[in-house]
Each structure stands twice: as structure tokens, then as C-alpha cells.
Amino acid sequence: MFMNQSKRIILTIIIACQLIVVLDASIMVTAIPQIGRSLHMTATSLTWVQNGYILPFGGFLLLGARAGDLMGRRRMLSIGIGLFSLTSMLAGLAPTAEFLLVSRAFQGFSAALATPAALALLSASFVKEKERSRAIAMYSAVSAAGGSIGLILGGFLTDFISWRVGMFINVPIGIILLYLVQRYIQKTSTRTGRFDLWGALVSVIGMTALVYGFVQAADHGWGKPETWISLAAGIVSLAAFVLIEARVAEPIIPLRLLASRQRSGAYLGRFLVVGGNFSLFFFIPQYLQNVLGFSSLDAGLAFLPFTGAQFGMMYLMHGLVHRFGNRKVMIAGLLFAIIGTLWMSQIVSVQAHFFPQMLILLTIMGIGAGMVFQPLTALGLSGVDPQDTGAASGLINVAHQSGSSLGLAVLITVFDVAIRTDQPSKMQFAHAVSDSILGSVVFITSALVVTLLCFVPTRQLTRKQALTDS
């Protein structure tokens, strides 16, 4: 056994917490057609069912990480889980589209309080190399596969009960987690300090403005002033955020974390991989339902090969990383993902069949994803001082959630440009999905470039350092 019972319980709590917050980013995807009909939402407004959750999640993660450092990580984990359960219930009860979107936004904020505390607790609880490696492998597998699990669960609930139940199930799970946290996780230390509220608000405004700009481009075209005003506001806000972080006494992102090329590469690589992967979870289920005639449940179950392959890799990753190193494993995983995604973009059509080609390709893509996320998580936490653990954990999750929201916003624009009509035929819809998946290939290929540039082999790095010193 690689850990004792107490640590297994702690890991189970952390993984369960991570699963419900990641799962909620995708559990609505297979329900989107039904949500649109029941709450009278347009195709563009339905994207906010996703982004309304993801943007506050990603935007306030750093503030949540800072809150965990100052107020105690167990306390923030409990507060986050409690609020998440409450806002999930409100989302399930939503009588209107506006009520649903506001509830989803508060869900995202609640998740931002809980998630960095959970990852920081994992980092502090598992310090031995073997324990830490396997714990991160399991955490990473859940983080990466939670999206596809959400598709399956959301499809089942939508077909047999209601999409609302996907929100309600968080309530009993949250209550159980609250009990387990109080019983099994030791109270963590607190310290004095200040919250960087301006930094948090400006970062959220910047990301929201960028995403809104791309959604406006998809809805109204690139020629509209509001599209460019929103994109410009996003860029200016994010530039202001960097200036705030450089000058504030206690920033939510200590810029010293980005001084390491390896850590910066891990954050950027994660952003790009998730930007490509998460968009697949949005487009492929709709293609399966709208073009191939799958039910919501069938569309969710179609991702079982992806999920199974991804979880299967969890048991192989420790040996692979030990033998070949993080860099080589990541490169191999990204190549698997690129090949599978590129091939998928070529076969999507009205005449396509799920079996065997799409099933095989989803398996290949799942293997690729399973080989990428654990090294990215480990490298994003490597060499971090204890006082920066919360901020580094927050950055990992910020990269994950901002990659989801911005990647989806960009590829929604690609989709709408390709479709060019409010009532597309099946052929037009399939063509637009194919183009969007090709956009995912660009994101994942960019992640491969980042990996090649930022993760220099140790011998080569030593040789370069020697030349510099001489």
C-alpha cells in the first residue's frame, strides 16, 4: 500500500471535491438542447451556461488561493463546498434563463474558493515522492476526465429525469464532504495579510471582456464596434492586472512564480491543452445529437472510450514518468492528442459512423490527455516555496478554467463563421463542427510548441549554463 488509511481518506475528499467542481463545467453540455427549449434560450446565449460558470471559477481562483493562505485552507474548503451546494440547488430551481446564469456564476465563485484549498492540502499532505506522484496522478486524472464524466452523467439525467437533477445532486454530496472535511482534515494555520481585491476584480473583468468579445464576434460579426471595444477592454484590463501585481504589497499572483520558465510553460501548456480539449466536449456531443441522431445519454456515453483511456493511463503514468521523464511523456501525449484530434476533424460528416473510427479516435485522444495533465500539474508545483503553494495551486486551476472559457469562445467564433445561418442543415452543422475541431488541433499543437521550448532537457540546460558561466 502506498499510503495509510488516513491519507487515503484525505485524498478521497480532495478528489471528490475536485470532481464535482470540474464535472459541473460539462454536466450541462449534453443538456443544452433541453435547457434551450425549457428556458427559451438562443444558441449564443446557451454558451453562457458554460462560460457563466467557468469565468468566475477561473477569475476568482487566485483570490480563493490567497484566502486559503490567510484564513486557513480547511476553512476555505468548507466555505467553498457549502456555498457550492447552495448555489447548485438554486441553479436547479432556476425558473428563468437569467436566474440560471446568475446561479451558475455564483457556483463558479464558490468553486474558486474550494479548489485551490483542495490542491494546496494535497501538496501539503503528500510530501514523499512516491505518495505525491500517485496522489497527483489521481488528482490530474479526475481533473482531466471530469469533463467527460459530466457529459455521461448529464446525458443520463437529461434523458431519464431532468437536466435540473444534475445541479441537485451536488447538495447531498456537498453535505457529506463537509462532514468528512471537519472530521478527517486537520485545521490548517492562518496568517496575517491583505486581499488583493483589485487584482482579482481586474483579472475577472479582463477575461470576461475577452470571452464576451469573441462571443459577440460569433453572434454579430467582427465589424461591430462592441466586438472590438470588448476585446480591447479585455487586453487593457489584463495588462493593468500585471501592473497591479507588480506593485501591490501582497499580490494574488507573486510574479516570482512566473520567473521559472518550466513553471510558466506548465501553466501556458495547460491553458492551451484545455482550450483544445474542452471545446471538443462542447461540439462533439452536439454533432452526435444534431447530425447522427444520438440521444443525450448516447452522446454522453460516446465519451466512455476517452474517459476510460484517460483513467487507464493514471495507473501507468508513475512508471512512464520515472523511466522517461515528464518532458518525453508530455511530448508523446501531445502527439497522440494531435493525431487523434486532427483525424477526428477529417471524418466528421453527415455520413460518418461512430463505430469503429470515432470510438478508436476518442480512445487515442484519451490516452494523449492522460499522458499530459499529470506532468503539467507536477511541473506547475515544482520548486515552489511553502508560502507560495496556494498561489501556485491557484495558477494551475486558473490556467485550466481560463483555457476552457477562452478556448470555447474562440472556437464558437470559428463554428459560427463556418455555419453562416440560423437554421443550418445537417451538412452545414457537421462542416462547422469539423472546422471547430481543427481549431482544437491548433490549440494542442501550440501546447506542443510550448513544451519543446520551455521544458529543455537537463543535460542541454546544464551545457547552456556552463557556456553562460564561462
Side-chain angles (χ1 to χ4, degrees), residues 191-222:
R191 59 188 178 91
T192 57
R194 295 181 179 180
F195 288 107
D196 179 16
L197 291 175
W198 279 112
L201 289 173
V202 170
S203 67
V204 173
I205 290 168
M207 282 301 300
T208 303
L210 278 180
V211 170
Y212 183 76
F214 281 110
V215 172
Q216 284 293 100
D219 205 18
H220 302 294
W222 290 98

Side-chain angles (χ1 to χ4, degrees), residues 21-33:
V21 298
V22 172
L23 182 147
D24 266 45
S26 64
I27 197 168
M28 295 290 212
V29 171
T30 43
I32 277 177

Side-chain angles (χ1 to χ4, degrees), residues 104-172:
R104 289 285 280 170
F106 279 105
Q107 258 192 305
F109 174 75
S110 305
L113 300 181
T115 302
L119 183 54
L121 284 167
L122 182 147
S123 182
S125 300
F126 300 93
V127 292
K128 294 180 180 178
E129 183 181 354
K130 189 174 182 180
E131 285 186 347
R132 188 185 182 91
S133 176
R134 294 194 179 182
I136 287 177
M138 295 172 74
Y139 178 92
S140 300
V142 166
S143 298
S148 47
I149 294 171
L151 293 178
I152 297 167
L153 182 59
F156 174 82
L157 295 173
T158 300
D159 268 5
F160 291 100
I161 311 175
S162 168
W163 63 266
R164 296 178 184 275
V165 180
M167 297 290 96
F168 291 144
I169 60 174
N170 291 327
V171 179

